[in-house]
Amino acid sequence: MHCFVSELKLFGTMAIKKQYLKSKPVCKVTFTVPADEAKTVAVVGDFNKWNPKKSSLTKLKNGTFKGTFDLPVENSYEFRYLIDGTYTNEAEADRYQWNDYAGTENAVLEL
């Protein structure tokens, strides 16, 4: 199952920006989700034990939700966005991975 943008009324393009740090084995990953009608957006995945309380994105004035997280490099992480209680995948993920527990594909971030 891939992201159904029209279903969630997302405006614009989701994005992931990766900034690798030279000083330590960490990548600053910025998630951007254009969901101006949404009340809450979180990124949940392997890196935070699928806990939305640990990964809420901040809503900007333009309606876009954004957040940056430091993640260890040389790993891959399954993740999804949780937008007002609805899971959706990142359209520009590095790849997708079937997850038997969820019964669907998850987006994958390769660092």
Side-chain angles (χ1 to χ4, degrees):
M1 175 189 243
H2 293 286
C3 173
F4 294 102
V5 175
S6 60
E7 222 178 287
L8 294 171
K9 296 182 183 172
L10 301 179
F11 300 97
T13 305
M14 292 182 271
I16 296 175
K17 179 183 171 192
K18 301 173 188 176
Q19 179 184 3
Y20 292 88
L21 301 183
K22 292 180 181 176
S23 58
K24 51 187 171 179
V26 168
C27 182
K28 287 189 169 297
V29 181
T30 301
F31 297 92
T32 304
V33 180
D36 62 344
E37 293 183 11
K39 289 182 176 61
T40 62
V41 177
V43 180
V44 294
D46 295 338
F47 53 86
N48 64 7
K49 299 183 181 173
W50 299 87
N51 185 343
K53 292 180 180 166
K54 294 183 178 180
S55 58
S56 293
L57 302 184
T58 303
K59 189 169 190 174
L60 306 178
K61 289 181 182 179
N62 67 2
T64 299
F65 286 80
K66 196 170 196 177
T68 301
F69 303 93
D70 291 349
L71 301 177
V73 297
E74 297 182 12
N75 288 297
S76 62
Y77 303 96
E78 288 186 35
F79 75 99
R80 299 191 89 188
Y81 295 118
L82 184 59
I83 303 172
D84 288 343
T86 301
Y87 289 98
T88 190
N89 274 333
E90 164 65 56
E92 301 298 321
D94 294 325
R95 63 183 174 88
Y96 298 94
Q97 175 73 41
W98 178 260
N99 184 295
D100 285 333
Y101 180 77
T104 189
E105 284 184 332
N106 289 330
V108 177
L109 179 65
E110 301 277 357
L111 298 179

